[in-house]
Amino acid sequence: MKSKPPNILIIKSVSTELDRVEMFIADIFQYHQFSHKCFNAVFLCISEAVTNSIVHGNKEDHKKKVELNVDCKHHLIQVQITDEGEGFDIEDIPDPTHKENILKETGRGIHIIKSIAQNVSFNSKGNSLRFEIVCK
């Protein structure tokens, strides 16, 4: 059997690092033998959060890092994504489902994550996001 993959990945604030994130998640899925049908939902949430960290959190500053921590317990995947940015207030993000916000680019990633994942929360600074996804 393959050795246990690391549960932490630290990447640069560059969008091309999403390829490394995808391979990191694929290794975790293979090791824990999670259903492949759950992979897309997990990767979608993680890629949205990582992209937000790169673009909005770290302002694409290549010197700043994004840390992805994934912990698996039975059929539960727990994810924490932290950037080195100043953070934000979740209450300031417009709801992308409201008519006046439909064409706006902001808020969609967080909305997607909240639609798919459970126990979505941010730290008080607003630079670290946690969520869980059940994969059976």
Side-chain angles (χ1 to χ4, degrees):
M1 183 167 177
K2 202 173 175 185
S3 63
K4 185 175 182 187
N7 68 323
I8 295 176
L9 176 68
I10 298 174
I11 62 168
K12 297 177 203 162
S13 291
V14 187
S15 62
T16 54
E17 292 278 85
L18 284 172
D19 291 339
R20 285 185 57 213
V21 171
E22 185 173 8
M23 288 188 315
F24 173 73
I25 300 305
D27 286 347
I28 289 171
F29 262 69
Q30 183 178 1
Y31 178 81
H32 290 281
Q33 299 178 342
F34 287 133
S35 168
H36 189 72
K37 65 184 178 185
C38 189
F39 179 84
N40 289 337
V42 171
F43 183 65
L44 176 60
C45 289
I46 289 174
S47 64
E48 288 291 340
V50 168
T51 299
N52 281 349
S53 285
I54 291 170
V55 174
H56 302 295
N58 290 343
K59 311 275 190 238
E60 298 182 83
D61 180 342
H62 299 205
K63 293 181 211 91
K64 292 185 177 180
K65 307 276 190 242
V66 176
E67 180 177 306
L68 172 59
N69 188 325
V70 178
D71 194 25
C72 302
K73 294 181 173 101
H74 304 288
H75 296 290
L76 181 67
I77 298 175
Q78 298 171 313
V79 177
Q80 180 172 350
I81 296 156
T82 305
D83 60 57
E84 296 183 74
E86 295 176 11
F88 73 103
D89 183 351
I90 187 68
E91 301 304 320
D92 291 342
I93 304 299
D95 183 339
T97 63
H98 288 163
K99 189 170 75 172
E100 68 273 10
N101 298 325
I102 290 290
L103 299 177
K104 291 182 182 175
E105 295 284 323
T106 58
R108 291 185 189 159
I110 292 170
H111 179 74
I112 289 168
I113 294 166
K114 285 182 169 182
S115 299
I116 296 172
Q118 298 82 45
N119 300 318
V120 178
S121 65
F122 292 87
N123 67 351
S124 58
K125 182 178 176 183
N127 73 326
S128 186
L129 163 68
R130 289 177 169 263
F131 60 84
E132 299 175 342
I133 297 179
V134 175
C135 285
K136 290 187 178 180

